[in-house]
């Protein structure tokens, strides 16, 4: 028999930037309450681990992580990808519970590098390959890639890896379906055909897991050449036309989980450009019988609903909600759609990226605040920018990166973030921001009697 080998001690602590916990999280090793500073370990060793930011989410006693990782040391694409993956593993290894990565979005500077990344992920994850999206959007800091990954405790959740386009996650009576579709290349199809195909593929993939499109709360659409002209129209307008046609066949007013407020309920969405040619899409669906679970589509008091934009923006309006909120257990999760400097239906601050970033963050702030939840019927919910677990910032011009980052860091603080270069669907929009917020439900007021 071989002698017992003891685990080497972990020498470097990778401290999370944020802990979003429901007061006392009840997890072993975590007596921390929200707002208290994180315990800092020694600095991570240079050159071994990449620049990492992560948030620990601990609501309902379930440990989840949002990770935003960029390699530090440069080198070849393979070196950088290796470093990013190693960093993710190091963070997971340091958790007090076993964790599994469920989904990742990989921002790459060049689609030609995707095969190398795939090979590495395969070696690293084996048959537990997260749902992986490659998005041709160069990270703004000049690195060859950046990874957004989500992980969940396998002590609580069962993760089922059902193929390259489908992962399901089950815990506490909730069943999540992550699905993806699309191709990095256009393959001789028109934008309309591409978009129609992608939505149909998503529908079929969801069906493989027993899901349907009306279970979908969040959609991401990454379109190559989003503002490019095709025939006598623009590719993004054609995507909207295909989405409208597809959504017409989805019974969105028959969502099992969602509060209606008297209108059709569209998923929250991001529709963003890439420097590739194809269309890549993903979606997140939820099924549950839990009586305390409910979803709410949010509109922004500062903005015209996208599905009511005037016709000059697109013959068929973009069918998405400004955010989708889910309440279950002790908290609310709010998926914020791609948000830009639009007030009512007009682009604000044309040519001024800093003011656009400010307006965008103000739009998000107002979208998720307690007043907006109250307006839409949830008087015990509400979130602030501090509740965001992570953000993605899509920057149109690489030279605007530092300015955008300065505004975001001033308004959001030190938050896990990836900045990537991407075209926004309107030519005058210079920046677009999306994120996910986790916030506690207000406990019902308890009347204390005095004796
Ligand atoms: C806007 O507010 C900016 O087509 O799904 C944001 C989020 C935008 C989603 C989509 C488009 C989409 O209109 C653009």
């Amino acid at each position: 028999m071989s002698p017992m080998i003891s685990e080497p001690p972990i020498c470097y602590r990778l401290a999370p930037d944020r802990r979003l916990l429901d007061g006392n999280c009840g997890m072993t090793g975590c007596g921390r309450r929200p707002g208290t500073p994180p315990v800092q370990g020694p600095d991570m060793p240079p050159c071994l681990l990449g620049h990492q930011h992560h948030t620990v989410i601990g609501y309902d006693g379930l440990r989840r992580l949002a990770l935003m990782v960029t390699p530090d040391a440069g080198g070849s694409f393979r070196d950088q990808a290796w470093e990013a993956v190693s960093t993710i593993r190091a963070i997971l290894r340091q958790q007090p519970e076993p964790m599994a990565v469920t989904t990742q979005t990989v921002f790459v500077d060049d689609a030609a590098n995707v095969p190398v990344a795939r090979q590495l992920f395969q070696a690293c994850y084996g048959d537990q390959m997260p749902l992986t999206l490659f998005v041709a959007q160069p990270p703004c800091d000049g690195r060859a890639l950046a990874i957004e990954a989500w992980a969940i405790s396998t002590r609580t959740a069962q993760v089922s890896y059902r193929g390259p386009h489908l992962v399901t996650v089950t815990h506490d009576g909730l069943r999540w379906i992550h699905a993806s579709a699309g191709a990095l290349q256009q393959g001789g199809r028109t934008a309309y055909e591409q978009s129609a195909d992608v939505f149909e593929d998503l529908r079929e993939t969801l069906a493989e897991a027993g899901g349907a499109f009306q279970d979908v709360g969040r959609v991401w659409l990454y379109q190559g050449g989003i503002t490019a002209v095709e025939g006598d129209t623009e590719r993004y307008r054609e995507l909207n036309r295909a989405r409208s046609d597809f959504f017409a066949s989805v019974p969105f007013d028959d969502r099992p989980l969602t509060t209606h407020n008297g209108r059709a309920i569209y998923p929250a969405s991001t529709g963003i450009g890439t420097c590739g040619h194809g269309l890549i899409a993903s979606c997140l669906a939820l099924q549950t019988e839990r009586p305390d679970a409910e979803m709410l589509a949010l509109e922004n008091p500062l903005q015209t609903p996208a599905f009511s934009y005037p016709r000059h923006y697109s013959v068929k309006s973009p069918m998405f909600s400004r955010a989708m909120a889910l309440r279950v257990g002790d908290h609310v999760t709010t998926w914020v759609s791609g948000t830009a400097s639009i007030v009512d239906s007009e682009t604000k601050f044309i040519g001024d990226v800093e003011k656009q970033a400010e307006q965008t963050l103000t739009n998000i702030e107002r979208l998720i605040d307690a007043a907006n939840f109250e307006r839409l019927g949830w008087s015990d919910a509400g979130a602030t920018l501090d509740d965001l677990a992570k953000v993605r910032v899509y920057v149109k011009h690489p030279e605007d990166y530092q300015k955008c980052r300065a505004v975001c860091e001033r308004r959001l603080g030190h938050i896990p973030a990836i900045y990537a270069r991407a075209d926004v669907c309107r030519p005058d929009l210079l920046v677009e921001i999306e994120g996910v917020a986790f916030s506690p439900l207000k406990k019902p007021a308890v009347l204390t009697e005095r004796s």
Side-chain angles (χ1 to χ4, degrees):
M1 296 293 287
S2 60
M4 268 236 300
I5 300 166
S6 61
E7 289 269 337
I10 294 163
C11 302
Y12 296 94
R13 280 272 154 214
L14 304 178
D17 298 287
R18 285 192 172 171
R19 293 172 200 251
L20 299 172
L21 311 172
D22 53 343
N24 233 329
C25 76
M27 280 182 272
T28 43
C30 176
R32 234 181 122 256
R33 303 188 70 88
T36 58
V39 186
Q40 288 294 339
D43 286 344
M44 52 183 149
C47 303
L48 291 177
L49 293 178
H51 191 68
Q52 59 83 29
H53 287 300
H54 67 280
T55 294
V56 176
I57 301 130
Y59 284 103
D60 278 329
L62 170 60
R63 193 175 193 88
R64 283 174 288 181
L65 296 181
L67 306 103
M68 297 298 217
V69 171
T70 309
D72 250 351
S76 68
F77 182 87
R78 189 181 296 271
D79 287 339
Q80 295 189 41
W82 196 299
E83 189 186 328
V85 168
S86 305
T87 306
I88 290 170
R89 288 180 84 86
I91 296 166
L92 298 187
R93 284 282 306 277
Q94 293 191 354
Q95 304 306 311
E97 299 178 37
M99 306 292 293
V101 177
T102 55
T103 143
Q104 60 177 348
T105 306
V106 186
F107 301 85
V108 291
D109 65 341
D110 184 347
N113 286 324
V114 166
V116 171
R118 263 194 223 289
Q119 209 182 36
L120 251 158
F121 292 137
Q122 198 56 55
C124 177
Y125 291 106
D127 57 5
Q128 305 192 338
M129 181 67 134
L131 186 90
T132 301
L133 263 90
F134 289 99
V135 180
Q137 293 178 341
C140 290
D141 53 14
R143 293 304 175 207
L145 82 163
I147 303 179
E148 171 183 322
W150 288 81
I152 195 161
S153 165
T154 54
R155 197 172 285 169
T156 311
Q158 290 83 51
V159 183
S160 169
Y161 299 94
R162 304 178 52 145
H165 301 292
L166 184 60
V167 168
T168 58
V169 181
T170 310
H171 64 87
D172 304 305
L174 303 171
R175 184 157 179 273
W176 302 89
I177 308 171
H178 297 270
S180 69
L184 286 163
Q185 294 307 317
Q186 194 173 352
R189 314 278 283 156
T190 66
Y192 182 93
E193 290 165 344
Q194 250 184 344
S195 310
D197 286 355
V198 153
F199 279 111
E200 195 47 48
D201 278 2
L202 279 179
R203 191 213 300 269
E204 283 167 22
T205 304
L206 287 165
E208 255 178 71
F213 216 91
Q214 61 267 33
D215 303 324
V216 170
R218 183 65 165 98
V219 171
W220 288 266
L221 300 162
Y222 308 94
Q223 188 183 31
I226 193 166
T227 56
V229 172
E230 190 184 272
D232 53 8
T233 183
E234 281 162 25
R235 283 172 57 76
Y236 176 64
R237 291 177 188 235
E238 288 296 275
L239 180 152
N240 278 316
R241 195 161 67 82
R243 174 167 50 187
S244 296
D245 290 348
F246 178 79
F247 279 10
S249 70
V250 179
F252 278 127
D253 45 2
D254 195 24
R255 282 176 179 277
L257 265 177
T258 310
T259 303
H260 286 252
N261 292 319
R263 46 176 178 70
I265 312 286
Y266 301 118
S269 179
T270 294
I272 193 78
T274 72
C275 56
H277 302 284
L279 176 66
I280 303 275
S282 68
C283 67
L284 175 57
L286 174 65
Q287 299 177 317
T288 182
E289 311 261 284
R290 271 179 68 160
D292 65 335
E294 200 183 332
M295 287 175 99
L296 176 68
L298 300 180
E299 285 306 316
N300 197 317
L302 302 179
Q303 296 184 301
T304 308
F307 47 81
S308 313
Y309 278 165
R311 281 174 70 98
H312 60 262
Y313 291 111
S314 211
V315 185
K316 293 296 179 121
S317 36
M319 290 187 160
F320 66 93
S321 299
R322 296 298 179 185
M324 187 64 81
L326 165 71
R327 63 182 298 148
V328 67
D330 59 9
H331 71 289
V332 177
T333 307
T334 308
W335 290 267
V336 176
S337 287
T339 305
S341 179
I342 295 174
V343 174
D344 302 325
S345 58
E346 306 292 315
T347 301
K348 278 273 169 292
F349 307 118
I350 288 170
D352 186 332
V353 73
E354 278 162 316
K355 289 203 174 123
Q356 286 204 7
E358 291 280 4
Q359 182 65 54
T360 300
L361 292 170
T362 300
N363 286 350
I364 293 176
E365 202 165 36
R366 291 288 299 278
L367 174 66
I368 64 177
D369 72 12
N372 198 39
F373 273 101
E374 169 122 51
R375 179 176 78 98
L376 298 166
W378 287 8
S379 54
D380 55 352
T384 69
L385 296 179
D386 280 340
D387 296 315
L388 290 165
K390 60 103 208 183
V391 289
R392 289 189 199 167
V393 184
Y394 303 101
V395 182
K396 183 177 175 125
H397 300 300
E399 63 271 22
D400 288 341
Y401 162 51
Q402 293 298 348
K403 284 183 192 164
C404 282
R405 195 173 145 183
V407 171
C408 288
E409 289 186 350
R410 185 163 46 72
R411 294 280 293 273
L412 303 172
H414 197 55
I415 182 176
I418 286 174
Y419 296 80
R421 212 212 69 67
D423 277 340
V424 186
C425 56
R426 288 189 198 180
D428 50 15
L429 291 172
L430 302 173
V431 58
E432 182 173 311
I433 303 177
E434 63 167 90
V436 185
F438 295 84
S439 56
L441 279 165
K442 275 177 238 155
K443 304 209 167 65
V446 181
L447 298 173
T448 47
E449 270 181 63
R450 288 191 197 172
S451 49

